[in-house]
Amino acid sequence: MRTDADDKMSEVPGVEIFPGDNRFPSLSRGFNQRWLSSPEYIRTVTSPEDTRAALEKAYADKPKGPARTRITVRSGGHCYEDFVCAADVRVIIDVSPMCGMYFDPDMDAQCVEAGATNWHVYSHLYPATGRALPGGSCYSVGLGGHITGGGFGLLSRQYGLTVDYLYAVEVAVIQEDGTAALVTARMDDTDPWRKALAWAHTGGGGGNFGIVTRFWFRGLPKPPGQVLLCGLEWKWEDFTDVRDFRALLDAYAGYFEAHQDPATPEGRLFSLLTLGHRSSGKIGLLAQIDADDLEEAERTMTRFLDAVDGPIGPASGPLATPMGEHPPLPDMQIPRLLPWLTATQALNASGENRSGKYKSAYLREPLTPAQVTALWDYLGNTHFTDYDNPQAGLQIDSFGSAVNRAEFTGLRTAVPQRDSILKMQFAAYWTPGDPEEAAHLAWVRETYAATFADTGGVPRVSTPDEPRNTDGCYINYPDVDLSDQRWNRSEDRWSTLYYKDAYPALQAVKKHWDPHHVFRHGQSIEPAEGTPQPPRLP
């Protein structure tokens, strides 16, 4: 809820932070230490009007040189590519001080300011209201980017995506005359362009149209009072050939393919499977289920673990090592009953400050035998056998169920992937300055390319004419390699892989609301040509 302290802070405008200020090194970089910047200044903002004024000034200022021209926006700083922090950035507008949450009676909706993080939702919104966004488990991710890319997490199979509850947004934009304005746009707006602007923020990605200052949500779900949480791991040394590896992946994918009804406990169970490179020594599994009906939850968790762990020879043990950005859970080999907020805190991690490279894929069906064989090979069994990086691997998240509800298909949101059962993230981390950076990049690029070798090195989208087990990529895990013909040899452009058929409508919104193409980066939405009409939305 909004407090007196929040109101007082919003009355004090933000500040311009220049090189030499002790805050500058921290605020000129993000989570991924590959991307550093040296902008002319960083502008913190504390209110929507402060944001509007900061944007107008930044746009009006003349660059000091031709090398730095972009204005970018920072909330949590978790952009995986150099879209926010890069050598060509002139000004960073940092909205992180703007992190209030309160009920807005005029909107009849819960307001969340764009600088808030996942942690604010867990530690502020939930205790005050009993409700939460079905968002991610990484506490420091900023909602300004997380929501606008679609946003998913451990509750999404039960409740859907964060954007499924988005009612309205407030956005600072640059108008045709070069002045900045605050625009409030609702999903049921009678003005078609404002309605389109709200819709574009339901999966169109951050940093494309303007600076979001506030989000409003209706009908936010109530998380379960308690959950069962379980963590297992297997030793890589016990997987002596590809058959047990294939059995594990087939069983895992098969379970979620068979259970896509959120009305059932199986359809609400969330899991992630982490396949580390063999040098990590381990394969990990995490699972969580709503346990308000404890007996049903215990039966469901047991059946899930039997389905996944039962068909393979290697014996599982406690999850004693970190799984990507998730901490170890050494005491949860036997599923443990915890309050939802306590379990969320146990899983909440942001990872160390490292350099990284990431790729993603939606899966509509289990991996093919060729895809499984490629993963086996490139995880250090026949390829990259001398590669030593325990922080390289891929995570396969359960997906779908409530995400795939019929009412969200079509253009009801800008997230077009609404019939997938799994979501994959390929990642390699390393210490900044590591002389083996080229090897880390090579591993993640070549592993991904080999996995999807049959479709041009990328997980091509599925269409009625050409159905596939893949359906493109997740915009919140951006990957500039998708724009590079060396790595994307398919017929699907990066824009198709992220947005599918929603892209032309997003281009129209871009042209109308960002006529000067102020908000741009390596994969920003391209403005439509000519004078587009507002997209026809449901």
Side-chain angles (χ1 to χ4, degrees):
M1 305 296 287
R2 194 165 185 85
T3 66
D4 291 341
D6 292 327
D7 290 332
K8 289 178 181 178
M9 184 175 184
S10 68
E11 295 171 1
V12 179
V15 296
E16 293 181 355
I17 299 171
F18 295 92
D21 189 295
N22 64 341
R23 293 165 289 184
F24 191 87
S26 296
L27 300 181
S28 60
R29 66 181 66 194
F31 167 79
N32 188 351
Q33 299 296 295
R34 287 179 71 198
W35 312 123
L36 309 179
S37 63
S38 184
E40 293 177 6
Y41 65 90
I42 299 160
R43 177 62 151 84
T44 62
V45 293
T46 60
S47 71
E49 172 54 29
D50 191 26
T51 305
R52 187 208 64 77
L55 175 59
E56 185 167 285
K57 179 182 181 299
Y59 182 70
D61 287 344
K62 292 182 179 180
K64 294 180 179 179
R68 291 181 292 191
T69 59
R70 287 200 293 136
I71 300 171
T72 63
V73 188
R74 185 182 191 275
S75 53
H78 273 254
C79 186
Y80 284 165
E81 292 287 4
D82 65 348
F83 299 167
V84 176
C85 298
D88 65 341
V89 173
R90 180 170 62 86
V91 178
I92 297 175
I93 296 179
D94 191 312
V95 302
S96 61
M98 199 164 50
C99 53
M101 298 185 181
Y102 54 93
F103 181 77
D104 185 338
D106 293 333
M107 283 281 195
D108 189 25
Q110 187 70 40
C111 183
V112 177
E113 294 179 346
T117 65
N118 282 332
W119 183 244
H120 286 99
V121 172
Y122 305 140
S123 64
H124 292 63
L125 180 64
Y126 176 69
T129 67
R131 298 179 183 273
L133 293 171
S137 62
C138 181
Y139 74 90
S140 60
V141 167
L143 296 182
H146 183 70
I147 292 167
T148 53
F152 83 105
L154 277 70
L155 294 177
S156 288
R157 277 175 48 81
Q158 186 166 358
Y159 298 120
L161 301 177
T162 59
V163 294
D164 296 346
Y165 300 90
L166 185 64
Y167 172 64
V169 292
E170 182 180 65
V171 190
V173 299
I174 293 292
Q175 303 177 106
E176 190 71 50
D177 65 0
T179 61
L182 284 172
V183 178
T184 301
R186 298 171 175 82
M187 293 292 287
D188 59 359
D189 221 304
T190 55
D191 181 282
W193 278 119
R194 287 201 301 266
K195 178 178 180 178
L197 182 63
W199 168 84
H201 286 84
T202 64
N208 276 311
F209 311 102
I211 304 176
V212 180
T213 56
R214 291 188 284 182
F215 299 93
W216 286 270
F217 296 91
R218 285 183 172 177
L220 285 175
K222 292 182 177 181
Q226 54 188 5
V227 297
L228 278 181
L229 187 62
C230 179
L232 303 178
E233 68 180 26
W234 298 269
K235 296 179 180 179
W236 254 119
E237 64 187 35
D238 293 336
F239 287 82
T240 56
D241 63 42
V242 72
R243 287 175 293 181
D244 278 326
F245 182 75
R246 179 174 290 116
L248 174 62
L249 267 62
D250 286 350
Y252 183 79
Y255 182 90
F256 292 107
E257 184 179 38
H259 298 297
Q260 286 289 309
D261 182 356
T264 66
E266 293 84 0
R268 296 191 292 270
L269 184 144
F270 174 89
S271 178
L272 57 87
L273 179 67
T274 299
L275 307 175
H277 183 271
R278 186 172 275 272
S279 60
S280 71
K282 304 292 175 63
I283 293 174
L285 177 78
L286 183 150
Q288 175 181 294
I289 188 172
D290 178 337
D292 283 344
D293 184 336
L294 181 56
E295 291 185 3
E296 186 62 61
E298 290 175 333
R299 287 193 296 268
T300 302
M301 181 69 80
T302 297
R303 289 194 292 265
F304 169 70
L305 296 176
D306 287 346
V308 174
D309 197 17
I312 63 175
S316 61
L319 182 60
T321 53
M323 289 179 57
E325 296 174 7
H326 297 283
L329 301 173
D331 300 324
M332 297 184 187
Q333 182 179 6
I334 297 174
R336 185 174 172 186
L337 183 66
L338 294 170
W340 172 77
L341 184 57
T342 302
T344 300
Q345 290 169 327
L347 294 175
N348 240 300
S350 190
E352 302 173 14
N353 288 324
R354 299 168 292 185
S355 296
K357 176 63 181 174
Y358 312 83
K359 294 177 178 288
S360 68
Y362 286 94
L363 290 179
R364 299 175 57 252
E365 298 170 354
L367 291 161
T368 66
Q371 290 166 341
V372 173
T373 299
L375 289 176
W376 168 264
D377 290 343
Y378 281 79
L379 284 168
N381 292 293
T382 65
H383 293 64
F384 287 89
T385 55
D386 295 329
Y387 178 56
D388 184 9
N389 184 3
Q391 299 301 318
L394 64 142
Q395 179 174 299
I396 307 177
D397 292 353
S398 59
F399 200 66
S401 205
V403 176
N404 295 345
R405 289 174 293 186
E407 60 263 38
F408 292 106
T409 57
L411 290 181
R412 289 173 176 84
T413 68
V415 177
Q417 293 92 354
R418 292 287 186 168
D419 68 349
S420 293
I421 61 169
L422 299 169
K423 182 180 282 190
M424 303 176 74
Q425 182 183 37
F426 296 68
Y429 294 99
W430 60 91
T431 303
D434 186 340
E436 298 299 319
E437 177 172 307
H440 303 310
L441 290 170
W443 178 83
V444 71
R445 284 169 168 160
E446 292 182 31
T447 301
Y448 190 78
T451 303
F452 304 112
D454 290 344
T455 51
V458 297
R460 290 193 65 186
V461 302
S462 182
T463 67
D465 293 335
E466 294 184 88
R468 297 184 173 90
N469 75 323
T470 57
D471 203 25
C473 306
Y474 183 36
I475 184 56
N476 273 359
Y477 299 160
D479 173 19
V480 295
D481 292 346
L482 300 177
S483 307
D484 190 331
Q485 292 182 348
R486 292 174 298 173
W487 300 107
N488 179 3
R489 303 181 306 279
S490 79
E491 297 176 12
D492 290 349
R493 296 185 69 227
W494 62 268
S495 52
T496 301
L497 292 167
Y498 290 138
Y499 302 119
K500 298 182 66 174
D501 293 341
Y503 191 59
L506 291 168
Q507 289 183 282
V509 177
K510 173 72 171 179
K511 179 64 177 290
H512 183 84
W513 289 108
D514 186 16
H516 298 287
H517 200 22
V518 175
F519 298 96
R520 62 187 187 277
H521 52 69
Q523 288 179 333
S524 54
I525 291 170
E526 301 153 318
E529 296 181 359
T531 304
Q533 296 299 307
R536 300 180 64 180
L537 302 173

